[in-house]
Amino acid sequence: MIKAVVYKSNTGFTEKYAMMLSEEISIPVVSIDKAKIILQSNDEIIYLGWIFAGMIQGYKKACKKYQVKAVCAVGMSEDTKKYVEDLHKVNGIKEKPLFYLQGGVDKAKQKGFYKFVFNMVTNMLLKNMNKKNEEEIEDDEIKAVYNMQHGCDFVSLENLKPAIDWYNNLKLKADL
Ligand SMILES: Cc1cc2nc3c(=O)[nH]c(=O)nc-3n(C[C@H](O)[C@H](O)[C@H](O)COP(=O)(O)O)c2cc1C
C-alpha cells in the first residue's frame, strides 16, 4: 500500500504537482527531507523530483530508503517520446512507471549554483541560435530560449492524469 507522495523541488513546480497528486489520490504529501517524520524505511511511495541536467533529483536517495512504486520527473522540456526514453536511460528506470510532467521556469526563485548554470546554458543557447540564419532556426529552439529567459509555467492537472489513472488502477486491483 502506497503511504505517501514524496518530492524534491527547487523552485516550487514539483511541489505544486506533488500537492495536486496528493489531493487527487488522498495520500499524504511530504518533501524528501522531512519524509522520515511520517515514513518507515522501506515504505511504499510515489516519488516526484525536479530534473537537473537529465537527472531526477533525489530519486537515488528515495530508492535507498523507500520502495519507489512510480516516479514523476518534472522538467521544462516538452513532453516527447524521445525525451521520456532518455529519462528512463539516464536515471536507470526500467521496471517501474515513469511519468514526465512539464513544470516551468521561475527565475526569481533560482539561487546560487543552479541559477549560475541555468544562465550559462541560456546564454549558450542564445548565442548558438543567433549564429544561425533565420531559416535554420527551429520553432522549438525559439520557444525554449524564450521560456528560459522570461520564465514559464506549464503545471496542470491534465498533465498529472496518467499518474492519477495509474494509481487508481493499482488501487482497484488491490481492492478486488
Ligand atoms: C541548472 C538547471 C538545469 C536544468 N536541467 C534541466 C534538464 O536537463 N531537463 C529539463 O527538462 N529541465 C531542466 N531544468 C528545468 C527544471 O527541471 C524545471 O524548471 C523544473 O520545473 C523545476 O522544478 P522545481 O520548481 O520543482 O524545482 C533545469 C533547471 C535548472 C535550474
Side-chain angles (χ1 to χ4, degrees):
M1 195 183 77
I2 294 176
K3 293 270 175 64
V5 171
V6 178
Y7 69 91
K8 185 171 180 73
S9 183
N10 182 39
T11 60
F13 296 100
T14 310
E15 185 176 41
K16 248 201 250 177
Y17 273 124
M19 304 281 175
M20 283 163 81
L21 181 61
S22 156
E23 249 178 62
E24 289 296 315
I25 64 177
S26 304
I27 283 188
V29 59
V30 67
S31 74
I32 185 92
D33 299 329
K34 294 193 175 155
K36 62 174 185 286
I37 299 172
I38 60 164
L39 293 175
Q40 310 284 324
S41 81
N42 227 27
D43 273 350
E44 294 183 0
I45 62 161
I46 298 174
Y47 184 75
L48 289 86
W50 74 283
I51 304 169
F52 167 48
M55 301 298 293
I56 304 167
Q57 298 302 290
Y59 172 61
K60 291 258 154 71
K61 182 177 168 184
C63 287
K64 275 187 197 149
K65 294 190 174 173
Y66 309 110
Q67 285 185 60
V68 178
K69 292 296 188 184
V71 193
C72 298
V74 182
M76 68 182 175
S77 308
E78 280 192 48
D79 183 357
T80 64
K81 199 165 170 257
K82 164 89 176 66
Y83 191 63
V84 178
E85 276 170 13
D86 288 348
L87 279 176
H88 273 98
K89 270 187 220 151
V90 174
N91 293 277
I93 297 169
K94 285 182 194 143
E95 273 121 28
K96 64 184 82 157
L98 166 64
F99 303 99
Y100 176 69
L101 306 170
Q102 203 176 16
V105 173
D106 187 340
K107 306 270 299 178
K109 287 192 187 157
Q110 287 178 353
K111 301 254 159 18
F113 171 73
Y114 295 127
K115 181 179 180 165
F116 172 78
V117 175
F118 193 84
N119 287 338
M120 200 175 68
V121 174
T122 306
N123 288 336
M124 199 183 72
L125 293 176
L126 187 66
K127 263 192 199 161
N128 285 344
M129 198 170 76
N130 289 342
K131 272 188 214 153
K132 293 181 184 175
N133 295 321
E134 207 180 320
E135 62 275 14
E136 286 176 320
I137 304 172
E138 307 273 345
D139 291 356
D140 287 352
E141 211 175 338
I142 300 174
K143 241 193 277 173
V145 173
Y146 184 87
N147 287 340
M148 290 173 84
Q149 284 185 306
H150 299 277
C152 51
D153 183 349
F154 298 105
V155 175
S156 76
L157 188 57
E158 202 187 323
N159 290 345
L160 259 180
K161 201 171 174 303
I164 296 166
D165 289 348
W166 168 82
Y167 177 79
N168 287 336
N169 278 332
L170 189 81
K171 199 160 174 287
L172 206 67
K173 278 187 207 151
D175 290 345
L176 285 177

